[in-house]
Amino acid sequence: MKLVAEELVNGRIRLKFEGFSSICPFTGREDRTDFELSYTPGQSFHGSSAVIDPKRLHERLASLESRKMVMEVVPMEILKSCIEDCVSQHKGRRAAPEEAEISSLSFEPGKGKDWAIRASLKFQREVHRIEC
């Protein structure tokens, strides 16, 4: 698996990875997919953009590779990792992406793989102090 594109367009960041693989828990065969993550960064405590670190995301994806995992779950795992990464970097409660979309394309002629999955998330949250 490798990161093949990274770009910033109109305030959105796009990361494209090729060659992710997991093992289908139903057939035991390898599933391969390429995917693209597009997101609007959240804000750090200091007001700067809280961006997803592509290197850490790559490492997280590498830890998921070759595991038994339903391919439909892969986009959710990626989104979860992105949120955890942004928030855990001590960037604040609003550091998670404002919104994110991930598209996954599995296309292997002759193996019955001719489908795509798209998942999106709009992170609406209200953070306030609780008076005791």
Side-chain angles (χ1 to χ4, degrees):
M1 175 197 44
K2 64 183 176 178
L3 175 66
V4 296
E6 180 178 359
E7 64 184 358
L8 173 65
V9 177
N10 297 325
R12 288 182 63 82
I13 295 174
R14 183 178 76 91
L15 304 171
K16 184 174 182 180
F17 289 86
E18 290 181 348
F20 178 84
S21 64
S22 63
I23 305 299
C24 176
F26 305 115
T27 66
R29 295 190 330 217
E30 180 181 61
D31 276 338
R32 297 187 61 77
T33 190
D34 299 335
F35 68 87
E36 182 176 306
L37 171 67
S38 176
Y39 71 98
T40 302
Q43 298 297 309
S44 72
F45 278 130
H46 307 291
S48 60
S49 292
V51 299
I52 295 164
D53 182 331
K55 182 178 178 186
R56 276 204 295 271
L57 178 57
H58 187 273
E59 290 168 359
R60 172 67 175 138
L61 293 171
S63 76
L64 295 174
E65 276 199 304
S66 301
R67 286 183 35 199
K68 283 188 177 182
M69 185 182 319
V70 179
M71 192 54 74
E72 289 81 353
V73 172
V74 171
M76 296 302 133
E77 285 293 324
I78 294 169
L79 289 175
K80 177 183 167 202
S81 294
C82 292
I83 292 167
E84 288 174 341
D85 182 56
C86 287
V87 174
S88 69
Q89 292 179 56
H90 306 291
K91 293 182 178 178
R93 294 175 196 94
R94 300 183 190 280
E98 293 295 321
E99 53 88 26
E101 181 174 288
I102 187 162
S103 298
S104 172
L105 173 65
S106 295
F107 184 70
E108 295 183 59
K111 292 187 178 181
K113 302 284 184 177
D114 58 353
W115 47 269
I117 297 171
R118 183 170 57 207
S120 61
L121 170 72
K122 184 168 183 163
F123 207 135
Q124 296 179 328
R125 61 202 167 271
E126 187 176 310
V127 179
H128 53 88
R129 288 213 185 277
I130 299 173
E131 299 296 325
C132 297

